[in-house]
Amino acid sequence: MTITLGQVLIRILEDYGVEHVFGIPGIHTVELYRGLAASSIRHITPRHEQGAGFMADGYARASGKPGVCFIITGPGMTNVATALGQAYSDSVPMLVLSSVHARNHLGAGNAGSGRLHELRSQQALVAGLTAFSHTLMQPGDLPVALARAFAVFDSARPRPVHIEIPLDLIGADASHLSPKSLVRSHKPLAGQPSIDDAAAWLAGAARPLILAGGGAVHAASALRALAEHLQAPTALTVHAKGLLPAAHPLLLGSTQSTEPTRQLVRDADVVLAVGTELGETDYDTVFDGGFGISGALIRVDIDADQLARNFAPTCTVLGDSADALERLCRALQQAPARPPATPPSHAPAGEASAWGACRVHAVRAQLESAWDLPFKAQRHYLETVLAELPDALFAGDSTQPVYQGNLAIDMPGPRRWFNSSTGYGTLGYGLPAAIGAQLAAPDRPVVCLIGDGGLQFTLPELASAVEAGLAPIILLWNNGGYEEIRRYMRQRDIRPIGVDLYTPDFQLLARGFGCDACRADDASALRRALRQARSGTRDRPVLIETSQAHWHAHAYAADRQTATTPPGPLHGDTDA
C-alpha cells in the first residue's frame, strides 16, 4: 500500500510524542492532513496563522515540549513570522512545518512567475527567526531534518525550527522509508574545570547574588538549594518566576530595573547569572542604561555565544543549568566555610551577619514605599485573581496589569507566568497563547491577561477556543486604547495621536463568539466572576472585563480607608 511522505511525517511526529498540531488547512497543505485523522494527534484550527504560532508558543511554555504548526506556503509564512519572532527572542521550542513550491520551481531564477502563494524565498524570510530553516529535497531527508529539529529542542538553546516540504514531495510515495529508532539528545554537561572555577569564586564570596532566567526554568530545586546554601539574594527574570517560590526570604522578585535592586546587585562581590541574557527587557525596562554589575560575574548558559554577550564574565560554565547548579551546590558543601559578609559602607547597620535575607527585606521595604497608587491598584487586581485561583497559569499580553505584575507578582512555581511584554514585545499574544497553555494544562485554570488594544489583534481566536471546547479565563483590562504609549508620549511632551481607540462592545462580541461574558469593576465583582468561572465543568471561555478607571477609583477609595495599616497589599474589600 502506498504511504505518502505526509503520512510518514505524522507517524514520526507521533513517535516524538507530539500530541497537538496548530494549523489552517489549505490547498498546499492538504496532503499533510491525509494521515492526521487516523493518528493520536489532535488538530486545533486557529483563525489566523499568527494565532497558530502563538498557540504553539503558549503550549510550549506551559508544557516544556515543542509546539507544532502546519503552515501554508506564502501568506501563512508571513503571518506566522511574528510568532516566530516572539518565540525566537524568548527561546521557545516551536516546529513550523510548511509547504513550499515544487522543487523545479524553487530558486531565485524561478521567482516572479505568478504562482499561487509565491514567495521569493521562505527560508530567507525566517532565517533570522529560527535556529534553522531546511528545505526537503528527497523523501529520505525527512527523518534527518526532524531529528535535527528535536536535537535543538532537547539539547541546545530551544528556538523555533522551520522545515518546508515541496509540493511534489508531500504526496509522493514514501513507502520505501524504513522505520528508524529515534535518537533523543540530552543537554550537554559542563566540564569539571569550569565547575571548580565557579565554585571557587562562590566559596570566596562574602556577598553573593544570583540572577536567574528562563534558561533555568527546569532547575528550580537546584537553584533553591544553591541560593539557600549561599544565602544569596536572588532576582528572577519574568519567565523565570516561580524558580524560588513567592515569599521566599531570599527572593528579590523580578525587580532588576528598580534602583534598590540595582544597588544590591552593585554591592554584590560575586554575581551568578544562570540561564539569562542579562538583556534590556528584563534588566532595563526603564531604558536608562542604569543596570550594572561591579563584582565578579559567573555566567552559566547552554549557549556559548550568550556567555559573552551584554556583560563580560569573569568565569563561564557552558552546559545545562540544572546539572551545573547541582554540581556547584555539591562542591560548595565540601568547601571551607565562608567568612561573614562585610556590608557596603552605605548599608544599614547590623547587616554584617545577614547579607541575604536582611538585604532582601530592606529592598522590598524600599520598593513598597515607592509604589504609586495606580501600581498598587493593578497589583491588587492581580492579587485578587491569585487569591481565588491560587493554582492558575497566567498567559499575558503587553498590557498594564502585565507590566505591573512583572514587577510585583511572584509565583509559587515555574511555567506559570509568561507574556509577550519582554523580548520581541508583540501585541495580540495573550489570547492564543492562553489557548495553547490550556491544552498543555487542562486540569488547572488558565488566565489570559490582555488589554483592549491587544485583544483586537486576535479577537477571532475566541471562536477557536469555543470550537476546541477550551475554557481559558480572559481578563480584559480596558483603558480605551494604548495606555502605555499614551503615557510615554506625554512624558516626552508629544501630543498623543493614534493611541485613543474606538473600543467595541466586548461583552456582546464575546457572547457572539459563544463565550460567557461579564463585567467586574471592583474586587467583590471580580471575586464573584472568578468563582463562577471556576465552578463546575466549563467547556467555553469566559471574558471578564474591567474598566481601568472604575477599578482605580475603587482601589483608591480602599487605599484611603486603610491609610493607617502597615504597608502591604491593598485591604478594605470585605467580600468573603
Side-chain angles (χ1 to χ4, degrees):
M1 184 177 66
T2 298
I3 300 175
T4 68
L5 190 64
Q7 290 173 296
V8 171
L9 169 65
I10 299 300
R11 293 182 182 182
I12 297 177
L13 292 178
E14 283 185 296
D15 289 342
Y16 275 111
V18 173
E19 298 174 326
H20 301 89
V21 165
F22 306 93
I24 302 173
I27 291 174
H28 281 186
T29 55
V30 290
E31 284 295 337
L32 293 178
Y33 289 78
R34 185 178 294 279
L36 196 58
S39 76
S40 61
I41 298 174
R42 184 182 181 187
H43 184 269
I44 304 295
T45 307
R47 297 312 188 253
H48 191 283
E49 287 89 359
Q50 187 180 102
F54 288 153
M55 289 178 193
D57 179 297
Y59 174 84
R61 296 196 204 216
S63 69
K65 299 186 290 187
V68 181
C69 301
F70 283 177
I71 301 296
I72 194 74
T73 322
M77 289 301 298
T78 53
N79 285 342
V80 82
T82 295
L84 285 171
Q86 188 71 48
Y88 184 89
S89 179
D90 289 344
S91 302
V92 175
M94 183 190 301
L95 176 59
V96 172
L97 296 157
S98 81
S99 53
V100 71
H101 287 97
R103 287 171 290 178
N104 63 325
H105 294 156
L106 297 180
N110 292 313
S113 301
R115 295 182 180 88
L116 178 66
H117 301 329
E118 188 176 61
L119 271 178
R120 185 180 181 92
S121 172
Q122 293 183 165
Q123 278 197 358
L125 173 72
V126 300
L129 306 174
T130 57
F132 71 84
S133 175
H134 180 81
T135 305
L136 297 186
M137 298 307 291
Q138 300 293 334
D141 294 344
L142 178 63
V144 176
L146 289 171
R148 287 181 61 207
F150 280 87
V152 170
F153 305 148
D154 290 342
S155 62
R157 182 177 184 170
R159 275 177 159 159
V161 168
H162 168 235
I163 299 173
E164 59 183 11
I165 309 176
L167 294 177
D168 58 322
L169 284 185
I170 295 179
D173 184 2
S175 306
H176 61 285
L177 289 182
S178 59
K180 296 181 180 179
S181 59
L182 300 179
V183 178
R184 299 304 294 265
S185 303
H186 301 281
K187 290 180 172 64
L189 307 183
Q192 192 59 42
S194 66
I195 294 289
D196 293 341
D197 193 12
W201 278 101
L202 290 169
R207 299 186 302 279
L209 183 139
I210 297 174
L211 304 172
V217 74
H218 63 302
S221 61
L223 180 73
R224 181 172 182 172
L226 183 61
E228 290 175 352
H229 178 82
L230 293 170
Q231 282 300 293
T234 301
L236 306 174
T237 66
V238 168
H239 297 298
K241 283 183 182 290
L243 288 180
L244 286 188
H248 192 286
L250 294 171
L251 178 62
L252 289 163
S254 304
T255 57
Q256 300 92 315
S257 293
T258 67
E259 183 51 34
T261 297
R262 287 177 167 186
Q263 184 59 56
L264 191 62
V265 174
R266 289 192 291 268
D267 290 344
D269 58 354
V270 178
V271 173
L272 172 64
V274 54
T276 174
E277 295 174 323
L278 298 176
E280 179 181 77
T281 55
D282 277 304
Y283 294 86
D284 191 18
T285 58
V286 291
F287 309 115
D288 65 357
F291 180 85
I293 296 173
S294 302
L297 173 61
I298 303 168
R299 299 198 69 169
V300 178
D301 209 285
I302 201 168
D303 183 354
D305 180 65
Q306 193 59 51
L307 289 171
R309 287 186 178 273
N310 294 326
F311 288 85
T314 308
C315 168
T316 63
V317 178
L318 175 63
D320 174 52
S321 59
D323 171 77
L325 293 174
E326 289 169 3
R327 290 161 64 193
L328 281 172
C329 202
R330 287 198 300 268
L332 288 167
Q333 288 167 353
Q334 300 169 5
R338 288 184 291 116
T342 302
S345 59
H346 61 272
E351 289 194 4
S353 60
W355 154 258
C358 183
R359 288 298 302 273
V360 169
H361 178 76
V363 166
R364 284 191 172 272
Q366 282 181 273
L367 292 173
E368 184 60 41
S369 67
W371 301 139
D372 60 16
L373 284 177
F375 181 95
K376 289 184 178 182
Q378 290 166 42
R379 182 181 66 180
H380 183 38
Y381 175 74
L382 296 171
E383 289 174 338
T384 302
V385 179
L386 270 171
E388 290 297 327
L389 306 175
D391 58 337
L393 183 157
F394 293 81
D397 213 79
S398 292
T399 186
Q400 289 289 313
V402 166
Y403 302 141
Q404 314 303 16
N406 285 347
L407 277 172
I409 296 298
D410 300 312
M411 301 303 293
R415 297 192 182 279
R416 298 208 19 209
W417 178 279
F418 52 84
N419 56 72
S420 62
S421 71
T422 65
Y424 202 52
T426 187
L427 275 170
Y429 170 89
L431 175 56
I435 293 170
Q438 189 74 83
L439 288 164
D443 298 325
R444 73 174 9 163
V446 172
V447 175
C448 166
L449 298 172
I450 198 163
D452 55 291
L455 184 57
Q456 291 183 76
F457 274 55
T458 50
L459 185 65
E461 300 303 351
L462 288 174
S464 305
V466 171
E467 183 175 80
L470 301 172
I473 299 168
I474 298 127
L475 296 183
L476 171 59
W477 184 263
N478 194 335
N479 52 32
Y482 300 131
E483 174 67 21
E484 185 71 7
I485 306 305
R486 182 189 297 126
R487 182 181 62 83
Y488 201 75
M489 294 173 86
R490 286 173 175 160
Q491 287 176 347
R492 283 149 184 77
D493 198 26
I494 299 170
R495 189 180 72 176
I497 296 176
V499 293
D500 298 304
L501 304 180
Y502 169 77
T503 52
D505 186 335
F506 290 107
Q507 304 287 301
L508 183 63
L509 285 170
R511 294 188 183 99
F513 278 114
C515 305
D516 296 328
C518 64
R519 296 194 63 86
D521 288 331
D522 59 39
S524 297
L526 180 57
R527 284 203 263 270
R528 286 193 297 271
L530 290 170
R531 289 170 193 167
Q532 186 172 0
R534 184 70 190 269
S535 64
T537 302
R538 299 188 56 81
D539 62 354
R540 67 181 66 187
V542 57
L543 183 143
I544 303 173
E545 182 177 1
T546 295
S547 162
Q548 174 178 284
H550 289 142
W551 184 272
H552 280 184
H554 285 286
Y556 295 166
D559 187 71
R560 285 194 296 271
Q561 292 171 8
T562 58
T564 59
T565 62
L570 293 179
H571 304 285
D573 189 304
T574 57
D575 181 69

